[in-house]
Amino acid sequence: MRVLVIGNGGREHALAKALNDSPSTTDVYATRPNAGMMSCTKAIDVDPIDCPSVVESAQELNIDLVVVGPEAPLVAGLCDQLRAVGIPAFGPSQRAAALEGSKAFAKDVMAAAGVPTAAYGTFTTAEDACSFVDQHGKAMVVKADGLAAGKGVIVSESVSETHSAIHEILGGFVGDAGQQIVVEEKLVGPEISVIALVDGTTVRAFPSARDHKRVGDGDTGPNTGGMGAFSPIPHLGTEVEAQILESVLQPTVLELHSRGIPFSGFLYAGLMMTVDGPKVLEFNARMGDPECQALLMRFRGDLAQALYATATNRLDEVQLDFDPRPSVCLVLTSGGYPAQYTKGLPIYGVTKANESPGIFVYHAGTKYVDEQLVTSGGRVLGVTALGNDYEDAIHRAYRAADLIHFEGLQRRSDIAASALRGAQRG
Ligand code: AMP
Ligand code: GLY
């Protein structure tokens, strides 16, 4: 198979490497690959959201499968355009990607399918939204309907703060994404991510994972794309895993299918483990980043075959297999991220770190300038370890990361610490 990977972050490096390692692939191409992807892909210089140019390149290169990593090209309808010319595409259609692109749509699907989630209302005026909050009488969570790069959710501590959040988002704080809002009940509990392959009807879940969204230790400071991840969640239990499959993933997939909007690709459920059981916080229509790095470190088998089977509606023939050992991904970022940061700084020690036992260093914002590896984004590298237990995996990841240097390097010191504290704790 000749495969084309769309995107060039840490998630796409993990996908590209696993696809290149798959016995069923001969060539793996990628759009504007980062420095790490250069060793497992051939570069094509096309903008991922320029759908017609991606389609044209895929045709010219005789691509058998296109794997779309990020949400933007999915929401732009890239998979629809590829399928329209007969190229198998791994990823949801534009309409199905609305599960991530519109929180109001996602809530409506969940309500219809009976999927456990926070009670909510959908609003376009502050007056209606505020009176909904007053009736509820407690602080609530305000979410912009559309894609807002992680800035569209405000969790408030009081009714008056919820009112301010409503005015902020409807007032244009995140642009057009906030023309409509979802106001929902505030849930409490540890968060987990469950990501599954879906081919319209069949669901095959990956093991559980947790990411660390806040920039600072102890979950402090602003939200980021993700400062680290680990898999699996300790002591989650097969019963809870089955519950998530049966009460969340399968009903959502069936509801979309019955609406004539079959979902194909990675379905990502962000869940909160409440005292009343798991409840959905959000859906994404793609793999998580950096969950992908932690999960694929544990993946065993031919990823290209699994994604091709998904893209061609034969997922029922696939059984997934994972290394039972836990994995930890520690993200190294540019200084100042997620606010302003400097690019183009030389990076040292990656080769040495990669030689450490049980380690793979996934690249994100990196490139070569005159054969020197330099930073080119906020999240720079994901040092990922497989260990005999969580303590071992954490130790390996940090020891390998200690070998890597660039000016301003930032990282959290408590990635996967909650795994050591044990049972599902946040
Ligand atoms: P989302 O993008 O919807 O996942 O929201 C981002 C973050 O906001 C989540 O990871 C949670 O930490 C928090 N959050 C979202 N919805 C709720 C909720 N209903 N109750 C409490 N926290 C929430
Ligand atoms: N790590 C969270 C996300 O990819 O949305």
Side-chain angles (χ1 to χ4, degrees):
M1 264 196 281
R2 296 160 65 80
V3 181
L4 169 60
V5 176
I6 306 297
N8 62 2
R11 165 184 52 213
E12 288 76 24
H13 186 193
L15 290 168
K17 179 182 184 294
L19 290 165
N20 190 53
D21 290 345
S22 297
S24 62
T25 58
T26 51
D27 302 274
V28 180
Y29 294 84
T31 55
R32 301 179 176 167
N34 64 41
M37 293 169 80
M38 309 259 276
S39 56
C40 55
T41 64
K42 293 172 189 146
I44 65 164
D45 186 18
V46 175
D47 183 348
I49 58 166
D50 177 358
C51 301
S53 297
V54 174
V55 172
E56 199 181 314
S57 302
Q59 283 176 315
E60 274 168 18
L61 293 167
N62 273 318
I63 295 294
D64 300 298
L65 174 69
V66 178
V67 177
V68 185
E71 59 275 25
L74 295 171
V75 172
L78 177 57
C79 290
D80 307 74
Q81 295 195 28
L82 288 161
R83 287 184 194 120
V85 298
I87 300 174
F90 177 85
S93 66
Q94 185 170 37
R95 289 181 70 203
L99 209 54
E100 172 165 2
S102 166
K103 299 218 185 251
F105 175 71
K107 287 299 243 185
D108 183 60
V109 168
M110 284 187 264
V115 170
T117 185
Y120 75 106
T122 302
F123 305 96
T124 51
T125 70
E127 200 186 342
D128 292 348
C130 289
S131 73
F132 178 72
V133 177
D134 292 339
Q135 274 167 33
H136 185 72
K138 278 194 268 184
M140 299 188 83
V141 179
V142 183
K143 302 183 172 186
D145 177 56
L147 290 181
K151 298 194 183 96
V153 175
I154 300 178
V155 182
S156 49
E157 301 303 327
S158 66
V159 169
S160 68
E161 263 184 53
T162 310
H163 283 191
S164 312
I166 287 168
H167 286 107
E168 224 174 296
I169 295 190
L170 281 174
F173 174 64
V174 293
D176 286 351
Q179 280 184 354
Q180 181 171 225
I181 57 171
V182 168
V183 179
E184 68 180 31
E185 169 201 8
K186 196 167 146 183
L187 303 174
V188 185
E191 288 180 43
I192 73 167
S193 310
V194 176
I195 297 149
L197 287 173
V198 175
D199 73 350
T201 49
T202 302
V203 179
R204 292 274 186 268
F206 275 42
S208 56
R210 173 172 295 146
D211 75 340
H212 299 67
K213 288 197 176 78
R214 304 294 197 95
V215 74
D217 284 357
D219 295 327
T220 54
N223 265 329
T224 69
M227 298 297 290
F230 66 88
S231 171
I233 304 292
H235 314 301
L236 188 62
T238 48
E239 221 169 278
V240 176
E241 279 174 16
Q243 195 183 353
I244 292 168
L245 188 68
E246 285 158 23
S247 73
V248 173
L249 297 170
Q250 278 166 350
T252 302
V253 167
L254 288 181
E255 173 64 24
L256 286 169
H257 194 266
S258 74
R259 291 184 183 201
I261 315 172
F263 188 99
S264 178
F266 285 121
L267 176 57
Y268 172 132
L271 302 150
M272 200 167 254
M273 308 302 288
T274 75
V275 288
D276 304 321
K279 293 191 178 181
V280 177
L281 296 177
E282 64 164 344
F283 282 122
N284 292 320
R286 52 174 174 81
M287 247 297 178
D289 184 342
E291 289 95 325
C292 187
Q293 294 85 312
L295 288 169
L296 290 186
M297 196 73 182
R298 301 182 54 212
F299 182 83
R300 296 199 284 213
D302 189 314
L303 185 69
Q305 217 163 50
L307 302 192
Y308 187 78
T310 306
T312 53
N313 303 319
R314 291 181 298 102
L315 183 56
D316 58 332
E317 295 169 16
V318 173
Q319 293 302 330
L320 300 175
D321 185 23
F322 291 86
D323 194 310
R325 291 174 295 171
S327 60
V328 169
C329 172
L330 168 63
V331 173
L332 311 183
T333 78
S334 295
Y337 173 80
Q340 276 199 346
Y341 52 84
T342 309
K343 294 184 193 177
L345 300 168
I347 306 170
Y348 306 102
V350 174
T351 310
K352 197 128 194 259
N354 247 330
E355 285 163 2
S356 313
I359 291 289
F360 192 84
V361 182
Y362 293 107
H363 289 234
T366 66
K367 64 176 184 179
Y368 285 112
V369 173
D370 300 331
E371 290 176 33
Q372 169 65 51
L373 184 66
V374 302
T375 63
S376 68
R379 289 190 287 174
V380 177
L381 297 163
V383 181
T384 309
L386 204 53
N388 297 320
D389 52 31
Y390 293 98
E391 200 170 2
D392 183 40
I394 293 167
H395 184 67
R396 283 172 196 245
Y398 277 92
R399 208 170 42 188
D402 284 341
L403 301 170
I404 298 174
H405 300 281
F406 55 85
E407 196 187 314
L409 184 155
Q410 257 182 189
R411 67 185 205 199
R412 275 180 64 161
S413 68
D414 62 350
I415 297 303
S418 67
L420 292 178
R421 292 197 296 270
Q424 296 178 34
R425 293 272 302 279

